[in-house]
Amino acid sequence: MVIALAVPCYILICYIIGHYDEKIGFWQIENNLSYRFTPYSEEMLNTIREIKKKLDREP
């Protein structure tokens, strides 16, 4: 009986949280701020640039 009530409540709570996040964008804002505190390393940026150059050269 408890499981029969818990599953619909869980789905409803997840739906409400998802709907709230779409309107407010809490997790999107959090992800945008995470770059400020943990920026990409210079080595990683150089590797990304090299890969981009290789992809641009290929037809």
Side-chain angles (χ1 to χ4, degrees):
M1 181 69 180
V2 174
I3 293 174
L5 292 174
V7 171
C9 289
Y10 177 78
I11 292 171
L12 181 64
I13 289 170
C14 289
Y15 175 79
I16 291 169
I17 290 172
H19 184 72
Y20 175 77
D21 184 43
E22 283 183 20
K23 297 290 181 188
I24 305 299
F26 176 77
W27 282 274
Q28 181 181 5
I29 293 168
E30 182 178 320
N31 287 337
N32 289 341
L33 291 176
S34 69
Y35 176 75
R36 249 185 244 169
F37 301 112
T38 56
Y40 297 124
S41 69
E42 190 64 33
E43 181 182 351
M44 184 188 299
L45 289 173
N46 289 336
T47 305
I48 291 170
R49 288 182 187 122
E50 288 175 16
I51 292 170
K52 186 176 184 311
K53 285 179 188 176
K54 288 179 184 177
L55 290 174
D56 288 342
R57 278 189 242 152
E58 294 181 10

